[in-house]
Amino acid sequence: PELLDYLNRISLFNLRPNNPTRWQLDVHTSQHPFDEMLRDKAGNIVVFSGRNRGKIDRMLASIDAGLHVLADKPWIITADEMPKLEQALDRAAKKGLAAYDIMTERYEVTSQVQRALVNLPDVFGKQVTGDSSNPGVYAKSIHHIMKNVAGVPLRRPVWFFDVDDYGEGLADVGTHPADLIQWTLFPNQALDYRKDVSMISGRHEAVRISQKQFTEVTGAPQFPASLGRHIRDGELDYFCNNYIEYRLRGVHVKLDVLWKWEAAPGTGDVYEAAFQGTRSRVELRQGAAEKYAMEVYVVPAPSARAQVFAALDQALAQLQKDWPGIAATRTESEAHIHIPEKFNVGHEEHFAQVARHFFEYVKSPASMPGWERSYMLAKYYVTTKGVELGRVK
């Protein structure tokens, strides 16, 4: 069923009326398709997505075979795989190969504008370290189990609900906010996860999935035996919600990664983030007031309102070179940043942007900046250790 669903998606892309793709398929359905891929070596790039457990082992084998690797998140889902992650990055560098993570959310224009404003001292001031009651950074990511992707209802494989196979929410989709937080706070700066990251706390919660819901989203007529340990009173406890706190170079970060069954009509997945500076707070909001679209706000400290608004005017004038037409409207308490609609290219286009970036590294692997490796290690340390903390009873 998974193969047929995938082939159908490729067919829909190839047959779409506007800008159709031209994928040519060479499908292998033997018991050992991965070994055939390594043996036949039909190209020089391998792309990984889907099943997460063991992904890092397949990546290591591909790198050893001389293949460039573009891999969807997550590369690892447990903390004991950190050494393998380091091996993959080190071997790729030694062999002159590109190994790259698909961090699409860096290409979201609202995240880019937030990052730019957080790193303007006259607007933001200095990052506040914060504490548990008032974190320096708070981010929330909400995803939905039932959803459409590229206009088609997404069929979830049965193993999606096996947290030992796919990972808890933090280990999977949590890689995006973990990456965005460090990418915003310390742009282009190398991090040492052993020294710069200190985990504080973690907990997890389950979403209750009925048999009817499970069948609706997977097509499976009943819960498989592999999920038996998570079945309670005829329903599945899907442990996909995580709440963690950690320090990143002293900054107290609070991160919630949540799954819900289905988004309300007119809404969708949510990412909100607030960075607290000494002069202002720079926020991404995605609520009803924003019509569930991501919007950027600057909330100045009351004592610095006039100075922050004046500095923001100058900053927006400079940002015109990157985003022509960017502007702001103000109330007494905050500024709402307006980004021209043409820069909201959509999630699907972000994958193409990542691919183009990756191809540049394939042409010149040495051009990949050193901080990328450190970002990889830091974010996966946060996500896997956060899950580990949540499972401690």
Side-chain angles (χ1 to χ4, degrees):
E2 292 174 44
L3 173 62
L4 293 176
D5 182 65
Y6 185 79
L7 294 178
N8 181 59
R9 288 182 177 277
I10 296 294
S11 177
L12 290 172
F13 277 107
N14 279 350
L15 295 174
R16 67 186 180 188
N18 297 322
N19 191 29
T21 54
R22 296 184 298 278
W23 291 102
Q24 299 179 39
L25 302 180
D26 179 16
V27 181
H28 290 246
T29 57
S30 71
Q31 292 300 308
H32 305 286
F34 180 72
D35 294 336
E36 292 179 22
M37 186 273 290
L38 292 181
R39 183 194 66 216
D40 298 343
K41 205 170 181 179
N44 67 337
I45 295 172
V46 58
V47 182
F48 288 104
S49 65
R51 209 155 193 152
N52 296 330
R53 183 167 57 181
K55 184 187 292 181
I56 192 66
D57 295 314
R58 296 188 290 275
M59 293 171 60
L60 277 165
S62 299
I63 290 167
D64 287 341
L67 295 166
H68 300 281
V69 172
L70 179 63
D72 195 15
K73 55 76 191 159
W75 287 22
I76 61 173
I77 59 174
T78 58
D80 59 7
E81 292 179 308
M82 283 292 294
K84 291 183 179 180
L85 174 62
E86 294 196 65
Q87 290 172 23
L89 296 171
D90 290 344
R91 290 184 196 177
K94 187 175 182 179
K95 285 178 167 286
L97 297 169
Y100 200 51
D101 203 0
I102 303 178
M103 290 289 98
T104 50
E105 300 310 302
R106 291 187 192 176
Y107 296 85
E108 174 59 53
V109 66
T110 49
S111 294
Q112 293 176 343
V113 170
Q114 182 180 50
R115 182 188 195 223
L117 294 173
V118 165
N119 287 282
L120 292 174
D122 289 345
V123 173
F124 183 69
K126 295 181 180 180
Q127 173 66 50
V128 171
T129 55
D131 54 31
S132 185
S133 57
N134 293 290
V137 178
Y138 172 65
K140 177 174 66 177
S141 175
I142 303 175
H143 289 258
H144 298 89
I145 296 167
M146 279 291 295
K147 65 194 299 185
N148 286 344
V149 173
V152 179
L154 184 62
R155 177 59 62 92
R156 302 284 186 184
V158 168
W159 49 260
F160 173 85
F161 294 95
D162 187 339
V163 293
D164 293 326
D165 208 10
Y166 198 74
E168 296 191 16
L170 176 64
D172 179 42
V173 294
T175 54
H176 284 298
D179 181 72
L180 287 176
I181 289 166
Q182 61 193 26
W183 178 77
T184 300
L185 281 178
F186 305 108
N188 305 346
Q189 298 177 42
L191 300 169
D192 183 342
Y193 75 91
R194 293 180 177 88
K195 298 177 181 178
D196 294 332
V197 181
S198 176
M199 303 303 298
I200 300 171
S201 66
R203 64 184 177 90
H204 71 175
E205 292 178 346
V207 171
R208 299 278 284 165
I209 307 291
S210 70
Q211 176 65 76
K212 181 180 178 182
Q213 289 173 320
F214 187 80
T215 299
E216 183 181 1
V217 75
T218 65
Q222 59 189 19
F223 292 124
S226 60
L227 296 178
R229 66 194 182 284
H230 297 303
I231 304 300
R232 180 167 57 92
D233 299 328
E235 294 189 328
L236 172 66
D237 278 336
Y238 178 38
F239 281 95
C240 54
N241 291 345
N242 301 90
Y243 308 82
I244 64 167
E245 296 184 38
Y246 63 100
R247 291 189 185 91
L248 183 60
R249 284 191 178 170
V251 178
H252 194 109
V253 178
K254 192 172 184 179
L255 172 60
D256 299 341
V257 177
L258 311 174
W259 281 87
K260 298 183 178 181
W261 173 247
E262 190 172 19
T267 70
D269 291 348
V270 172
Y271 175 64
E272 296 185 320
F275 291 76
Q276 182 63 58
T278 53
R279 293 172 66 88
S280 70
R281 186 171 66 253
V282 180
E283 299 184 11
L284 274 183
R285 301 179 195 163
Q286 200 176 353
E290 292 74 40
K291 298 181 180 178
Y292 305 104
M294 276 193 286
E295 301 285 350
V296 183
Y297 293 83
V298 176
V299 185
S303 61
R305 182 179 296 117
Q307 299 95 319
V308 167
F309 282 160
L312 181 60
D313 286 340
Q314 295 181 357
L316 293 176
Q318 291 297 314
L319 294 177
Q320 296 293 326
K321 65 181 185 298
D322 295 318
W323 302 289
I326 192 171
T329 56
R330 295 182 198 144
T331 65
E332 275 296 308
S333 60
E334 64 187 22
H336 178 194
I337 310 302
H338 297 280
I339 303 169
E341 187 59 32
K342 65 181 178 180
F343 296 111
N344 291 308
V345 297
H347 188 57
E348 302 302 321
E349 173 59 23
H350 295 331
F351 285 96
Q353 292 171 317
V354 170
R356 287 191 286 269
H357 215 140
F358 171 68
F359 293 145
E360 292 302 315
Y361 293 145
V362 169
K363 294 175 186 175
S364 177
S367 67
M368 185 180 293
W371 55 263
E372 283 282 22
R373 179 186 185 278
S374 75
Y375 274 29
M376 288 282 291
L377 296 172
K379 79 184 174 198
Y380 281 118
Y381 181 79
V382 167
T383 58
T384 58
K385 279 293 185 180
V387 168
E388 197 173 84
L389 282 174
R391 292 180 174 181
V392 175
K393 296 182 180 180

